[in-house]
Amino acid sequence: MATLNSIAQSLENKSILITGSTGFLAKIFVEKILRVQPQVKRLYLLVRASDAKSAKRRLDAQVIGKELFRVLRTEHGDEFDSFISEKICPIAGDMAVEDLGIQETHLKQEMMEELDIVANVAATTTFDERYDVALNINALGADRVMAFAHRCHKLQMFLHVSTAYVCGSKSGMMMEKPIRMGETPNGQNNLDIEAKLRLAEKELKELRARGVEKTEEIAAMKELGFKRARSFGWPNFYAFTKAMGEMLIGESRKNLPLVIIRPTIIESTLVDPFPGWIEGFRTAGSVILSYGMGKLKCFPSNVNLPIDVIPADMVVNAMVVSMVAHSRQPQSFIYHVGSSKQNPTTSSLLADCAYRYFSNNPVKGKDGRDISVEKLFVYSSLDDFRKLANFALFNVWGRLHRDLTRRYNFVMYLAELYDPYVFFDGRFDDGNAEGLRMVMKASGMKEAELFNFDPKCINWEEYCMKVYYPGLVRYAMSLKNKGILITGCTGFLAKSNRNNLFFLSLSLKYSYALEVYVFVEKILRVQPQVKRLYLLLRASDAKSAKHRLDTQVISKELFRVLRDMHGDGFDSFISEKIRPIAGDMAVEDLGIQEFHLKEEIMKEVDIIANVAATTTFDERYDIALDINALGADRVMDFAHRCHKLQMFLHVSTAYVCGSKSGAMLEKPIRMGETPNGQNNLDIEAELRLVKKELKELRARGVEKTEETAAMKELGLKRARSFGWPNSYAFTKAMGEMLIGESKRDMPLVIIRPTIIEATLADPFPGWIEGFRTAGSIIMSYGKGRLKCFPGNVNLPLDVIPADMVVNAMVVSMVAHSRQSASFIYHVGTSKQNPVRTSIIADCAYRYFSRSPLKGKDGKAISVNLAQIQKIVFILAVNFYSEKTLLITLPFRMIFDDSNAEGLRMAMKAGGVEQAGLFDFDPKCINWEEYCMKVYYPGLVRYVMMQK
């Protein structure tokens, strides 16, 4: 390599396979290549997914949808989507299995014929990952990618991203040299990778034979990893398994050109594509933000030693330059990409800048007030820090033992996790990297600035104050570290946000709300660093709650995308993020019996999402009243006892407006207000009436069926007497009245969806569970049991996909966090993009004519063109139970969604990252396409279980 010609030009017409493409560094690498060389032939991005569709969805949501791509999006304008489709090919696969898990033979063959470069950027970077998972990805995974590379016919380069800390716990100058097979930092040089594999398998087999809980299995595998890593001189099993990965590909590369990039601590971008972009908490970022949020007052570090931080865009530039420079050269090349040799910074400078930055730009606390910070006290050794922390905990503040124990454990966890980095007594020699920079300079390249990776140009104070810390606050915080309590968790909607503690309450006894499932899945998928979801389930104890969670929520096909994302780590991820809570919102304190757990929830929860409801239109009046009205009030009462709550989200229904006509506005319902204008509703009187009726029925000794029928009849009678169509809308309206009265200064968002049906796009199109309002009619027609549709061809039918409702829930609760007011949002389609009953009926005829359902005899069921009748009530048959269902469809109203439209406009005007991921604009729905390709196929597949 004497000279370098144009780097960008060298990428023209190249085909590149990139693993780990949804990771932080790989995203920046992908964006850089597409921006500097739009004539690149194709980027094949390996995405952990079950099929091409799922891979495409993950790519759109986790890569292309990021704000990182805003510069590229601006450059291409309206042609951006077509440009991405042409240049990027998402590959469903998994590097944890042979052939990278690529199932499509033709695609695999195409890649082997076309690929010029393989860039292995995949890794599990968690320092305390399970040993078996880290070993499979970081070590064996790298070797599998190398095996695949050897089968590529014209490969010019294998680029592998490792870490500088493969050197282990050493001191002095770390050289850019390869690690020999079996070599260890402590000099034993007796590492046997095959033996480590056997050990991990043996340990796992023994744990499962003993039938231990999943949490115990995870803890044991983590402990094994730490123990093995430290026995050989590595600080953690991230560095340990990355070192093994280098050994394996070094042994198996043969004559393949190989570049190994060893970055140090990677943090936010310096300049490219714009300053400060970061995703998630990186190594140093966790400490900085914990300090800014008032959780960290002191930290152990040696102020005399450098801390080796490098901006992510510099690492990417080094990757691009090195792979171009050594293309077709059958040797291996190693590059340290760090700052400790050329331009070191120290922990004292980072701490001082953090103090000044957060003093001038304080983070908001849970109460909406600024969090004040004091200078971070830096201890010169971990032992001194531990002694002081113990003394402070057990001698000075003993009365606060429980809270301080939690804080102590958190601080010590961070301190011990990052000890190998803040006390690392070494510097990383970058002679090879400096040589590459000199060649670039000597070649007089015009692109030298575009591909700059010289750390000498970094002004650390300016980087911290104007780039890094602002980037952490903007891009890494959002919903991170929040706790969320969710009610109604086994319902449809709740099954679909970032370090928030959520509390979801689920009432499994009652009819399921589709949106609950989708809500849980969405939060976990878009924000895997959410702190915890507390899911309230109707259960007698923790074990029963866990069983219900596993069988009725997590096992759903809805979670397949999330399962693909996490692979073998899915169960441990769920165990870490979800806490099932045995309880019942029909009783005080939500039926939570465990005192310490209740205290924990009250201390930790940031958001409460009340999605629980009994959605059956003709439910028993006593049950509907207890869950939909009193239950909501009990959840609000619980919310008032939570110490740092930022938001109460309540899911209601648009039909609380009652049997009216015209435009329904997004306004609150006053206590006692009724649709018929009487405005004399007395909720206490309704409760007394229910008790009196029940008492009389039981005094007469009636059968349970007669009691149920009487209570249903009472509910319908009372609802209609006030102007509501059924007891569901009636009791949901009472729920709104009660929480509106009792909210005081609690931030409150009320979401009022219309008729919720199958998902439009997220996590995949068509997912639905159970018979929804319109779905019952559609499927009864498809089964040949319904010859006409209820409706008025001149009036809209307000249907909304479940994922749009969930997106509105997430956006609104984030937008109004800590705002002590009430906000109401209609989420429907009748104003912005109405669909007529005639379209629903015509599409049903065409769909079931082409794709008929099978009858009990296995023969196709033929359908006739349905007539549309102007009736409000119809009788439809539930063909599972053969019971008759009363379907109520109000057709005479349009739901104004001005508030929702304002929120959408604010999202657009604010340039919100991932706006497409949280889209709830009904104008984008093509109704014919939705019915024919999404909704009706979803009903058949997920409700009828026919394929």
Side-chain angles (χ1 to χ4, degrees):
M1 182 193 65
T3 61
L4 266 173
N5 296 318
S6 169
I7 295 169
Q9 188 178 337
S10 299
L11 295 172
E12 186 175 347
N13 207 35
K14 291 290 190 296
S15 292
I16 307 172
L17 168 64
I18 304 172
T19 68
S21 55
T22 57
F24 171 61
L25 194 64
K27 289 183 181 79
I28 303 173
F29 184 59
V30 168
E31 192 278 342
K32 180 84 176 191
I33 292 173
L34 292 174
R35 182 162 40 82
V36 301
Q37 184 44 274
Q39 299 302 318
V40 66
K41 187 174 184 180
R42 178 158 287 191
L43 302 184
Y44 294 90
L45 305 189
L46 187 69
V47 180
R48 186 195 290 268
S50 57
D51 53 39
K53 240 179 183 179
S54 301
K56 174 75 165 59
R57 281 193 296 271
R58 275 201 75 188
L59 178 75
D60 291 343
Q62 297 179 34
V63 183
I64 305 305
K66 297 288 182 179
E67 186 173 352
L68 175 71
F69 284 77
R70 76 180 187 211
V71 174
L72 194 66
R73 192 174 286 108
T74 302
E75 286 182 1
H76 289 274
D78 294 340
E79 301 301 315
F80 176 75
D81 289 338
S82 59
F83 171 73
I84 292 297
S85 296
E86 178 191 349
K87 298 299 177 182
I88 290 184
C89 179
I91 308 295
D94 186 351
M95 63 181 290
V97 296
E98 296 308 311
D99 264 1
L100 307 184
I102 304 169
Q103 299 298 320
E104 296 181 48
T105 306
H106 294 305
L107 179 57
K108 195 171 1 181
Q109 195 60 38
E110 175 192 316
M111 291 168 65
M112 290 175 180
E113 290 176 2
E114 294 294 328
L115 285 176
D116 301 286
I117 299 168
V118 169
N120 181 39
V121 199
T124 170
T125 59
T126 308
F127 294 158
D128 62 343
E129 180 61 272
R130 288 176 58 128
Y131 184 39
D132 52 334
V133 173
L135 196 58
N136 198 22
I137 300 298
N138 296 344
L140 302 183
D143 200 39
R144 293 187 194 104
V145 179
M146 178 60 81
F148 187 89
H150 278 300
R151 296 164 63 193
C152 296
H153 304 174
K154 58 170 189 171
L155 204 72
Q156 302 172 19
M157 167 56 57
F158 188 100
L159 174 73
H160 176 73
V161 178
S162 184
T163 172
Y165 296 95
V166 291
C167 62
S169 304
K170 293 180 178 180
S171 60
M173 189 64 72
M174 306 298 116
M175 308 306 293
E176 295 163 302
K177 64 177 185 178
I179 307 172
R180 299 187 311 275
M181 182 60 75
E183 185 179 355
T184 61
N186 63 8
Q188 291 181 10
N189 299 336
N190 59 348
L191 173 61
D192 183 339
I193 297 177
E194 289 293 329
K196 300 306 132 198
L197 287 171
R198 291 192 297 272
L199 177 64
E201 289 169 359
K202 179 173 176 282
E203 180 75 9
L204 203 54
K205 187 176 180 181
E206 289 176 357
L207 287 166
R208 289 174 178 171
R210 283 164 42 204
V212 301
E213 292 288 326
K214 199 70 181 178
T215 51
E216 187 180 341
E217 177 186 306
I218 292 166
M221 293 310 294
K222 286 184 176 185
E223 180 59 32
L224 176 64
F226 270 120
K227 184 178 177 182
R228 299 312 299 161
R230 289 170 180 169
S231 72
F232 291 112
W234 278 283
N236 51 50
F237 42 90
Y238 166 59
F240 179 32
T241 53
K242 289 297 281 183
M244 284 194 271
E246 283 198 29
M247 293 177 199
L248 288 169
I249 63 172
E251 284 280 299
S252 62
R253 78 170 190 89
K254 300 173 187 169
N255 290 322
L256 200 61
L258 172 65
V259 165
I260 296 176
I261 297 290
R262 293 178 181 165
T264 53
I265 300 171
I266 307 173
E267 295 294 340
S268 61
T269 57
L270 178 66
V271 293
D272 205 20
F274 48 84
W277 192 78
I278 193 167
E279 187 174 57
F281 284 160
R282 317 307 301 167
T283 308
S286 300
V287 177
I288 300 299
L289 275 182
S290 296
Y291 166 73
M293 293 165 70
K295 295 181 178 179
L296 203 61
K297 307 294 184 185
C298 54
F299 202 73
S301 182
N302 190 327
V303 295
N304 299 314
L305 294 175
I307 184 164
D308 204 316
V309 174
I310 190 74
D313 49 338
M314 284 196 164
V315 179
V316 164
N317 289 344
M319 290 164 62
V320 175
V321 173
S322 59
M323 76 181 189
V324 168
H326 300 297
S327 177
R328 299 191 182 90
Q329 297 178 22
Q331 294 99 30
S332 59
F333 304 87
I334 297 174
Y335 292 99
H336 282 154
V337 186
S339 59
S340 58
K341 183 179 179 184
Q342 303 291 342
N343 183 15
T345 185
T346 61
S347 54
S348 59
L349 184 142
L350 296 182
D352 179 64
C353 286
Y355 170 68
R356 287 188 287 134
Y357 179 79
F358 288 108
S359 295
N360 295 329
N361 305 277
V363 173
K364 297 289 185 185
K366 311 299 180 185
D367 56 3
R369 297 177 182 176
D370 292 345
I371 297 174
S372 61
V373 294
E374 298 175 356
K375 284 200 170 185
L376 185 68
F377 198 87
V378 180
Y379 286 87
S380 58
S381 79
L382 185 59
D383 285 340
D384 288 346
F385 178 73
R386 187 181 288 109
K387 287 173 186 174
L388 178 79
N390 271 299
F391 173 78
L393 174 63
F394 296 113
N395 293 292
V396 180
W397 300 310
R399 68 186 182 279
L400 301 174
H401 181 271
R402 187 183 302 149
D403 184 53
L404 289 171
T405 297
R406 180 176 56 80
R407 289 171 178 263
Y408 170 79
N409 290 338
F410 169 73
V411 172
M412 288 310 304
Y413 169 77
L414 282 180
E416 291 177 0
L417 199 61
Y418 298 136
D419 169 60
Y421 303 93
V422 295
F423 289 107
F424 182 71
D425 188 11
R427 297 191 184 205
F428 294 100
D429 177 76
D430 64 348
N432 293 348
E434 182 65 11
L436 193 56
R437 289 189 286 263
M438 289 174 67
V439 170
M440 277 178 66
K441 188 176 180 180
S443 299
M445 294 178 57
K446 295 179 181 178
E447 305 162 311
E449 191 62 30
L450 183 61
F451 294 100
N452 178 35
F453 61 103
D454 190 345
K456 294 189 289 292
C457 73
I458 304 171
N459 179 318
W460 287 112
E461 184 173 351
E462 187 172 299
Y463 174 69
C464 289
M465 299 294 287
K466 296 182 179 179
V467 177
Y468 180 25
Y469 298 168
L472 281 173
V473 172
R474 176 171 183 181
Y475 299 111
M477 288 190 70
S478 61
L479 285 177
K480 192 164 185 170
N481 274 327
K482 296 295 190 295
I484 307 176
L485 167 65
I486 309 175
T487 70
C489 300
T490 53
F492 171 55
L493 194 59
K495 289 175 186 170
S496 310
N497 260 324
R498 190 165 171 147
N499 248 337
N500 284 46
L501 285 175
F502 283 73
F503 183 15
L504 269 137
S505 87
L506 300 73
S507 297
L508 287 171
K509 174 181 176 181
Y510 310 108
S511 53
Y512 303 157
L514 177 68
E515 59 270 29
V516 182
Y517 297 118
V518 189
F519 185 57
V520 171
E521 192 277 341
K522 180 88 176 192
I523 291 168
L524 293 174
R525 178 165 42 82
V526 302
Q527 187 39 270
Q529 299 201 21
V530 65
K531 190 171 184 182
R532 180 160 287 183
L533 305 186
Y534 292 95
L535 307 191
L536 184 69
L537 299 108
R538 187 179 176 88
S540 57
D541 53 39
K543 196 171 185 180
S544 300
K546 174 72 166 59
H547 177 71
R548 299 197 84 171
L549 175 74
D550 291 342
T551 57
Q552 298 182 31
V553 182
I554 304 305
S555 63
K556 299 288 180 185
E557 185 171 356
L558 175 70
F559 285 79
R560 76 178 188 216
V561 175
L562 193 66
R563 195 172 284 108
D564 285 343
M565 285 171 60
H566 291 276
D568 293 339
F570 177 75
D571 290 339
S572 60
F573 172 74
I574 293 297
S575 297
E576 178 189 351
K577 298 300 178 182
I578 292 184
R579 180 96 182 253
I581 308 296
D584 185 351
M585 62 181 292
V587 296
E588 296 308 311
D589 268 359
L590 307 184
I592 304 171
Q593 299 298 317
E594 294 181 53
F595 174 78
H596 293 306
L597 177 57
K598 192 168 12 180
E599 284 293 302
E600 176 191 323
I601 294 170
M602 289 176 179
K603 285 181 180 178
E604 296 295 333
V605 163
D606 303 283
I607 297 168
I608 287 182
N610 181 39
V611 198
T614 170
T615 59
T616 307
F617 293 160
D618 64 340
E619 180 62 270
R620 288 178 55 130
Y621 188 33
D622 53 335
I623 292 176
L625 195 58
D626 198 28
I627 298 301
N628 295 345
L630 303 183
D633 200 40
R634 292 186 196 104
V635 180
M636 177 60 81
D637 178 67
F638 189 90
H640 280 300
R641 295 158 62 195
C642 294
H643 304 181
K644 57 174 188 171
L645 203 73
Q646 303 171 20
M647 169 55 57
F648 188 101
L649 175 74
H650 176 72
V651 178
S652 183
T653 171
Y655 297 98
V656 292
C657 63
S659 303
K660 293 181 180 180
S661 60
M664 303 297 111
L665 302 178
E666 295 163 302
K667 63 177 185 178
I669 307 172
R670 299 187 309 273
M671 181 61 75
E673 184 179 357
T674 62
N676 63 8
Q678 292 180 10
N679 299 336
N680 59 347
L681 173 62
D682 183 338
I683 297 176
E684 289 295 329
E686 294 301 308
L687 288 170
R688 290 194 296 272
L689 177 64
V690 165
K691 289 176 182 176
K692 178 174 177 286
E693 182 75 11
L694 268 178
K695 186 177 180 181
E696 290 177 357
L697 288 166
R698 288 169 182 172
R700 286 163 40 204
V702 300
E703 294 289 326
K704 195 71 178 177
T705 52
E706 187 180 341
E707 178 185 302
T708 298
M711 293 311 296
K712 286 185 175 186
E713 179 59 31
L714 177 64
L716 285 172
K717 182 179 176 182
R718 298 304 296 165
R720 289 169 184 169
S721 72
F722 292 111
W724 277 283
N726 50 51
S727 52
Y728 167 61
F730 180 31
T731 53
K732 289 298 281 185
M734 284 193 270
E736 283 198 29
M737 293 177 198
L738 289 169
I739 64 173
E741 284 280 299
S742 62
K743 88 170 200 72
R744 303 198 286 269
D745 60 352
M746 178 79 69
L748 171 64
V749 166
I750 296 176
I751 297 291
R752 291 179 182 165
T754 53
I755 301 170
I756 306 173
E757 294 295 340
T759 57
L760 175 68
D762 204 21
F764 48 83
W767 192 80
I768 191 168
E769 186 173 65
F771 287 112
R772 319 304 304 164
T773 309
S776 300
I777 300 169
I778 301 299
M779 295 311 296
S780 294
Y781 169 73
K783 288 287 286 186
R785 297 183 175 179
L786 194 66
K787 306 300 181 184
C788 62
F789 275 83
N792 185 325
V793 292
N794 299 314
L795 293 175
L797 178 64
D798 204 315
V799 174
I800 187 75
D803 48 338
M804 284 198 165
V805 179
V806 164
N807 289 344
M809 291 166 62
V810 175
V811 172
S812 60
M813 75 183 188
V814 170
H816 300 299
S817 177
R818 301 191 184 95
Q819 298 178 24
S820 54
S822 298
F823 304 88
I824 296 175
Y825 293 101
H826 281 154
V827 186
T829 58
S830 56
K831 183 180 179 183
Q832 302 290 343
N833 184 15
V835 61
R836 309 287 174 182
T837 311
S838 56
I839 293 176
I840 300 289
D842 178 64
C843 287
Y845 171 67
R846 288 189 286 135
Y847 179 79
F848 289 110
S849 295
R850 298 171 192 170
S851 307
L853 294 175
K854 301 288 186 183
K856 291 180 179 178
D857 57 3
K859 295 179 180 179
I861 298 171
S862 62
V863 295
N864 297 317
L865 186 62
Q867 299 297 311
I868 299 174
Q869 303 293 333
K870 291 186 179 180
I871 56 175
V872 174
F873 300 102
I874 70 158
L875 293 178
V877 178
N878 179 329
F879 36 82
Y880 281 142
S881 63
E882 300 298 333
K883 290 181 180 178
T884 300
L885 303 174
L886 184 65
I887 308 296
T888 307
L889 294 175
F891 294 111
R892 303 182 304 278
M893 58 192 69
I894 291 176
F895 294 100
D896 176 75
D897 65 346
S898 299
N899 293 349
E901 183 66 7
L903 192 57
R904 289 189 287 262
M905 290 173 67
M907 258 206 328
K908 187 176 181 181
V912 174
E913 182 181 5
Q914 296 178 304
L917 185 60
F918 296 101
D919 180 33
F920 61 102
D921 190 345
K923 295 188 289 292
C924 74
I925 304 172
N926 179 315
W927 286 112
E928 184 173 350
E929 188 171 299
Y930 174 69
C931 289
M932 299 293 288
K933 297 182 179 179
V934 177
Y935 180 26
Y936 299 167
L939 284 170
V940 172
R941 178 170 183 179
Y942 299 111
V943 178
M944 291 297 300
M945 303 299 177
Q946 291 189 15
K947 295 194 176 179

